[in-house]
Amino acid sequence: MSDTHAQTVAYVRETMLPEQAPPSTAAGPIKWMRDNLFSSVLNTVLTLLSVYFLWVVLTLVLPWVWYGSWTASSLKECREAVAGLGLAHGAACWSVIGERYLQLIYGFYPDELYWRANLAFILMLVALAPVLYPNLARKILWFSALYPFVAFWLLWGGTLWTPVVAVAGFVFAYLAFEILNRTAGSLVAVIAAILAPVVWWLLLAGPVSNGLASVMPLAIEPVESAKFGGFMLSIIIGVTGIAMSLPLGILLALGRQSDLMIVKAICVGFIEFIRGVPLITLLFVASTLLNYFLPPGTTFDIILRVIIMVTLFASAYMAEVVRGGLAALPTGQYEAADALGLDYWKATRLITMPQALKISIPGIVSTFIGLFKDTTLVSIIGLLDPIGLTTNIRADSNWNGIVWELYGFIALIFFIFCFSMSRYSMYLERKLKTGH
Amino acid sequence: MKKTTFFGAVAAATMTAGFAAAGTLDDVKAKGFLQCGVSTGLAGFSAADANGNWDGFDVAVCRAVAAAVLGDPQAVKFTPTTGKTRFTALASGEIDMLARNTTWTFSRDVDLKFTFIGVNYYDGQGFMVPKELGVSSAKDLDGATVCIQTGTTTELNLADFFRSNNISYEPVPIETNAEAQQQYLAGACDVYTTDASGLAATRATFENPDDHALLPEIISKEPLGPLVRHGDDQWADIGRWVLNALIAAEELGITSANVKESAMAAGNNPEINRLLGTEGNLGEQLGLSADFAKNAIAAGGNYGEIFARHIGESTPIGLARGLNAQWTDGGLIYAPPFR
């Protein structure tokens, strides 16, 4: 404390004034509203208009939703019950959802086997966890790799040997590669690794599986594809499509950037062809045209055909999204990878692809969400996905004429799935953000 | 299915052992079930309930055929088909029979190479208008907007009708009946046109059915019937005569209640005896058991019972027999003699 001013001025404050709360107009919700809702005349007008709009919509929708009937057993009964409420715009008949929600979720899957579908769904979450959250134990990835076969067995049933011999094909591919890579060079090893499983699957897998099954069945009750429906079908098609289109898309994107002329031509041709054709056309090819080409009596499962088409369709889009990411990388990254002496696959795996994928996350997730929603198109070829089931439910004379409740319920479920995907992609972007 | 799903994947075209090339009857017997194509959902004609059991007027035909061929009305697997996939599903052999309110037309029979095995419902295209429009005849509809399902015979009939009456209309194309219902109620079109049975069923679901009227004109013939592929006459005969058996049963007064009793021993009506297999060998001639008609009738009753249960006047759809009454009652339903 100096006394410089002690003689020159009459009074000097020696302590700070205590802090005071900001004025009520510059703090808390009022400040937030002033900043965000009423910062200018235009903003104020827009805010008031939006509030009015929301008020109008919600006063119409909320009573309709809230006072809906959960007990009526038919549309007629429901209308009578609702008319008694005296609401201007009526109320929903939620009882159709109450009666049919299991069908909307599982389709015609036998109800005593719902546990298998549920188990497959829970295991799917387990299998996805290490892929989505990299800090989990890496060993679960083995389960993720095996999951498609487990899920197939759980959902379709039959003997356990079917998926086992299918997995064996991959094991043979790996063994062929490992053995021949040491003795006969990498090219021979790659060719053998492709040929071995194909030969196995085409010629030997069926008899071996049947043989093993006759010795020791290990079978659970089979369920035919015609019984699949509802959200279960959407999820099966969507998740399989998503899981397979990303690796395929990456390969196609790399192929399109490749210096190998034939590989490049094939990839460009494939991508441009698929992108040039509407998905619905591909689905019609899957459902009707293929039957003409295959020999009569062939059983080629319709769900499988649809999954293949959906995957091909999504992978062409995915390829372009990933190619966008690759193109956005500075050339320096490629050159740096070369300067380190990395070969092509190592450079791609360690340097370029992780960065390219990070850049393309929003595009990739958009493609996923689009793919998941596109699964509803299968209703046009007669598969009973949730949209297809609405037609069926309306054909029940109790519920003929009901529309909004069913679509509302389906929209809600789709929203939950798509919104979670979108939130996850935002989490991933934040986590991978390195530009500080 | 079972194994075939996966090996189908890797092998693309693994042949499943057993049925190829042989007649449809042998295929069906070998499989142990009938694969029947139905609509993905049409009130009264085909619908699956909350437990996944299919039921309806068209479904009943499938069940009757399954009962006649395999002795079990439940030995049917249903393939839901849309207006666009139905014919390819049948032509490619995915289904053995199509019972999906399909209009019997020349080109479907001849050009698409199908055989219609009969008519189970005589329909015709009609119009529905709101009463407040004050229209009493379809000829007053000059300049009206019309909701119409695309890709159906109704679209072509409508164009023909308006052209021949020299009046104009504005089509509002829609995809499904449910959509049409919404559009019509929302006032997007003045008139909704489709098969009269469909109009009646649709009107029954409105909150105020009395505000809407069906116009008297029926502008087309829509004989709806089940169909099979060309070229397998034995299978077509089976379908045709099972349907005829249901129709004849109504005429002869055989119902699901008394069919078992009547089939126990030959009675004094020789036609009933031949139909139910207590006399003669009609079943054997078809390649079926002697009691095929008995099984078919026991499955869901005779034609009249099936009609009454699914689409008749006591149901919400509430269709009168009209053209679909027996010929003895002034309708068109007529079975050739079982002889």
Side-chain angles (χ1 to χ4, degrees), chain A residues 79 103 156 166 288 291 297 392, chain B residues 1 16 48-49 88 94 205 207:
Chain A
R79 277 180 181 152
Q103 197 172 53
W156 272 273
T288 57
N291 285 335
N392 200 319
Chain B
M1 255 298 301
T16 47
D49 66 8
T88 35
E94 202 180 321
T205 70
E207 280 198 80

Side-chain angles (χ1 to χ4, degrees), chain A residues 75 79 99-100 103 108 111 149 152 156-159 162 165-166 201-202 205-206 209-210 213 222-226 284 287-288 291-292 294-302 304-305 308 379-384 388 391-398 400-404 407, chain B residues 1-16 19-21 35 39-54 77-82 84-85 87-89 91-92 94 175-179 181-182 201-202 204-208 316-317:
Chain A
L75 185 59
R79 277 180 181 152
E99 191 184 302
R100 298 285 188 138
Q103 197 172 53
F108 300 135
D111 48 4
F149 303 97
F152 166 78
W156 272 273
T159 166
T162 311
V165 297
W201 284 325
L202 283 185
S209 163
N210 289 341
V223 179
E224 56 192 287
S225 288
F284 274 122
S287 83
T288 57
N291 285 335
Y292 285 117
L294 296 172
T298 310
T299 319
F300 188 12
D301 192 64
I302 178 74
L304 198 70
R305 284 183 266 166
I308 291 174
S379 62
I380 295 177
I381 56 169
L383 288 186
L384 294 175
T391 320
N392 200 319
I393 292 172
R394 267 193 298 270
D396 182 336
S397 52
N398 284 336
N400 193 347
I402 201 156
V403 177
W404 297 102
Y407 285 145
Chain B
M1 255 298 301
K2 291 184 284 188
K3 276 157 222 156
T4 44
T5 318
F6 190 80
F7 295 132
V10 285
T14 316
M15 295 285 286
T16 47
F19 38 93
Q35 192 81 43
S39 162
T40 49
L42 181 66
F45 286 83
S46 71
D49 66 8
N51 303 318
N53 300 319
W54 288 86
K77 292 191 179 174
F78 293 99
T79 303
T81 57
T82 67
K84 295 186 177 70
T85 60
F87 295 127
T88 35
S92 67
E94 202 180 321
E175 185 65 30
T176 63
N177 184 45
E179 194 191 332
Q181 221 162 308
Q182 291 298 310
T202 302
T205 70
F206 288 173
E207 280 198 80
N208 304 308
I317 297 169

Side-chain angles (χ1 to χ4, degrees), chain B residues 154-234:
Chain B
T154 51
E155 203 178 3
L156 310 171
N157 297 334
L158 183 74
D160 288 356
F161 174 77
F162 276 80
R163 202 179 64 186
S164 59
N165 283 295
N166 247 334
I167 49 180
S168 68
Y169 70 102
E170 198 184 318
V172 179
I174 37 112
E175 185 65 30
T176 63
N177 184 45
E179 194 191 332
Q181 221 162 308
Q182 291 298 310
Q183 297 279 21
Y184 172 76
L185 284 177
C189 46
D190 305 324
V191 190
Y192 177 36
T193 178
T194 188
D195 290 347
S197 64
L199 286 180
T202 302
R203 193 174 73 143
T205 70
F206 288 173
E207 280 198 80
N208 304 308
D210 295 335
D211 294 351
H212 303 271
L214 302 187
L215 297 180
E217 283 88 352
I218 297 292
I219 62 164
S220 71
K221 290 180 285 184
E222 308 280 345
L224 309 179
L227 53 155
V228 297
R229 279 180 297 278
H230 244 354
D232 188 346
D233 290 343
Q234 188 195 13

